Amino acid sequence: MIRTRSILFLVVMLIAASTALADTDSLELIQLVVSNTNGAIEDLITEARTMATQLEEEYRSGYIDSGNYRSSVASIAGKLVKDTQELANAALSLAREHGISVKCYRVTVELAFIKVSVDPLIICDD
């Protein structure tokens, strides 16, 4: 639920940013977008870790079998990567439109037995 709200919020913000805030300094606008994007990515990471930890506890307690545990954690990891890439790509696209250099940097996230890389952002033009 947090994941969907975070993504929807950011998409709406990106759309509004390119129109309603047109008078705002481009760098300030992109700084706001990058900050909110990174916050949404952190929310997604936290949610994915919580879900993976809960599944791990259920598996260790014998409530779910190995196959369900492994496939569920893999699904969470895949969704995390997909969602963070979508957020990062939207922010990168907006930054390019405003002529601001922004890049992704890799962060490794461990979810139970799986490690994935996600893409928070950093502004290169300061």
Side-chain angles (χ1 to χ4, degrees):
M1 186 63 158
I2 292 172
R3 179 175 304 189
T4 304
R5 282 185 292 190
S6 294
I7 291 170
L8 288 175
F9 171 75
L10 190 59
V11 169
V12 169
M13 187 191 75
L14 289 172
I15 292 168
S18 63
T19 56
L21 300 177
D23 294 334
T24 304
D25 177 76
S26 290
L27 181 57
E28 289 177 27
L29 172 65
I30 299 307
Q31 286 172 333
L32 177 65
V33 169
V34 166
S35 176
N36 283 309
T37 300
N38 286 340
I41 289 171
E42 279 298 318
D43 290 346
L44 293 174
I45 291 169
T46 299
E47 182 181 9
R49 282 182 173 151
T50 299
M51 292 168 53
T53 298
Q54 182 179 359
L55 284 168
E56 185 173 26
E57 290 171 5
E58 290 175 9
Y59 170 67
R60 292 184 188 277
S61 298
Y63 293 118
I64 59 174
D65 63 34
S66 177
N68 285 333
Y69 166 62
R70 297 182 80 68
S71 66
S72 295
V73 173
S75 178
I76 292 167
K79 182 95 169 103
L80 175 64
V81 170
K82 179 182 171 279
D83 290 348
T84 58
Q85 284 176 341
E86 287 176 1
L87 290 173
N89 288 340
L92 289 168
S93 177
L94 184 62
R96 271 191 301 275
E97 288 176 20
H98 287 273
I100 306 294
S101 180
V102 174
K103 67 178 182 176
C104 293
Y105 62 96
R106 292 283 191 196
V107 173
T108 301
V109 177
E110 191 168 342
L111 303 172
F113 60 91
I114 296 177
K115 290 182 181 178
V116 295
S117 289
V118 297
D119 301 329
L121 304 170
I122 187 168
I123 296 176
C124 302
D125 294 347
D126 283 333

